[in-house]
Amino acid sequence: MELINVNQENSFNPTPKLKSSPIPIFFVSFNGDDNICIHCGEKYTMTLIYEQKYCKKCLSNYLTNMDNDSSKHKTDTRSGTVIIDNINMYLDVYLLKKDLECSKYEISETKVSQNIQECCRNCLIILFFKQIIGRYHNFYYNYQDLSTKYKNVIESERYCKLCGKLLYQGTDHYIMREFKLCSNCYLISSGCIESTLTKKVISIVYLPWWENTSDCYCYEKLVFTSNCQKYCENCFIFLIGCRYCLTTNIIFGITNQSQ
Ligand SMILES: [Zn+2]
Ligand SMILES: [Zn+2]
Ligand SMILES: [Zn+2]
Ligand SMILES: [Zn+2]
């Protein structure tokens, strides 16, 4: 089964506060079951919170390419590292910022950084990616070990970092620990589009995150056709990830390609 081409001209933008990356993002897989980087073959690293898998090497390459791509970067005179000025326009990511020299790897007096550019490349520790679905239970189990970091994250999670909206006002610790997406900045929408190939109207749901599940909503295993496309043989739904925006379109209503 091959994927149809859909006319995306009037496509909805599910993450209006983030810009589409100028270069594709290869450091995450569209299949959450993958343990080896689909792009370079390195083992994936887990984020400290929510256990999202990403490739350190590809992330580093991405940041380097962004440097080369952009004229808007500066060099940190103290560490000599190049700081990317505008990366936060593209990625919503929480980092652990280690203090001072990068040669020191002990995690002490850690601060949660919301700005990837503040971090030296060598001591880049990803707490979690906001644009990727996380696993709530892992956050809970690791809570005791890494409580300081998590408290910082929980504190910073009170407000949306993209628009400043208050996300949770209460004091319930279970809710506080939960992964939250701002309803101003992460929009879910649906609509109808015409397939350029079949000329049929098909339904589409725009998700504001990178839907890296390996199972369909019907619990069937999804069939991967590329590094950003998969479908369910049972329900005929297609999931198409955008490696520039880390968003996912779900397309319904395709019955048979050969028709
Ligand atoms: Zn890689
Ligand atoms: Zn927001
Ligand atoms: Zn299905
Ligand atoms: Zn996109």
Side-chain angles (χ1 to χ4, degrees):
M1 185 183 264
E2 271 176 45
L3 192 57
I4 50 138
N5 284 311
V6 288
N7 186 353
Q8 299 273 35
E9 262 172 47
N10 301 312
S11 148
F12 169 78
N13 180 6
T15 49
K17 288 280 162 64
L18 291 166
K19 282 196 173 175
S20 179
S21 169
I23 53 170
I25 293 163
F26 289 122
F27 52 79
V28 288
S29 174
F30 205 34
N31 183 351
D33 287 351
D34 282 342
N35 293 311
I36 302 294
C37 176
I38 46 150
H39 198 66
C40 77
E42 289 279 312
K43 203 172 179 291
Y44 280 126
T45 304
M46 296 253 200
T47 59
L48 285 188
I49 302 178
Y50 302 124
E51 297 196 349
Q52 300 158 334
K53 293 171 192 169
Y54 69 100
C55 175
K56 275 199 157 171
K57 193 176 158 190
C58 288
L59 174 61
S60 180
N61 285 343
Y62 174 78
L63 296 173
T64 305
N65 290 335
M66 289 291 273
D67 274 346
N68 296 337
D69 198 67
S70 167
S71 54
K72 292 175 191 164
H73 65 260
K74 57 188 180 213
T75 304
D76 179 353
T77 45
R78 195 181 56 203
S79 64
T81 50
V82 175
I83 297 170
I84 300 164
D85 236 355
N86 54 359
I87 196 86
N88 292 303
M89 290 173 2
Y90 311 110
L91 291 176
D92 192 359
V93 60
Y94 283 75
L95 304 163
L96 192 64
K97 187 188 174 189
K98 287 189 202 157
D99 292 328
L100 299 172
E101 297 104 307
C102 18
S103 52
K104 292 189 177 167
Y105 272 85
E106 64 264 31
I107 299 171
S108 61
E109 289 183 75
T110 50
K111 266 187 269 172
V112 172
S113 172
Q114 297 183 338
N115 297 318
I116 205 163
Q117 81 249 25
E118 286 175 14
C119 269
C120 160
R121 206 70 54 77
N122 296 330
C123 44
L124 197 69
I125 295 179
I126 307 285
L127 284 173
F128 67 98
F129 295 98
K130 202 76 188 185
Q131 292 151 283
I132 302 173
I133 291 302
R135 298 187 201 182
Y136 164 64
H137 68 277
N138 292 315
F139 188 58
Y140 176 76
Y141 287 129
N142 294 332
Y143 186 73
Q144 304 297 333
D145 305 341
L146 301 154
S147 57
T148 318
K149 272 171 245 164
Y150 286 173
K151 271 174 198 154
N152 287 332
V153 172
I154 285 166
E155 214 31 62
S156 56
E157 272 287 90
R158 276 182 183 276
Y159 298 92
C160 171
K161 108 186 193 207
L162 298 175
C163 77
K165 185 187 165 188
L166 183 64
L167 295 179
Y168 180 64
Q169 225 170 344
T171 52
D172 185 320
H173 281 266
Y174 290 97
I175 299 174
M176 283 170 84
R177 276 178 227 161
E178 274 174 11
F179 186 87
K180 299 177 200 72
L181 287 176
C182 173
S183 57
N184 288 348
C185 302
Y186 287 87
L187 311 173
I188 299 175
S189 182
S190 62
C192 288
I193 48 167
E194 188 184 84
S195 161
T196 51
L197 207 73
T198 63
K199 299 289 172 202
K200 281 183 180 167
V201 173
I202 51 178
S203 318
I204 184 161
V205 171
Y206 305 97
L207 295 179
W209 58 76
W210 184 247
E211 182 83 312
N212 62 1
T213 174
S214 59
D215 299 322
C216 181
Y217 310 102
C218 73
Y219 302 110
E220 279 290 317
K221 279 274 166 215
L222 290 165
V223 179
F224 287 80
T225 54
S226 79
N227 70 4
C228 60
Q229 294 180 347
K230 54 197 174 187
Y231 70 94
C232 175
E233 287 178 313
N234 190 33
C235 339
F236 293 106
I237 66 166
F238 286 80
L239 288 92
I240 305 168
C242 176
R243 287 202 171 269
Y244 296 88
C245 315
L246 293 182
T247 55
T248 308
N249 292 348
I250 306 177
I251 295 170
F252 299 85
I254 303 156
T255 48
N256 193 336
Q257 273 314 108
S258 57
Q259 270 177 357

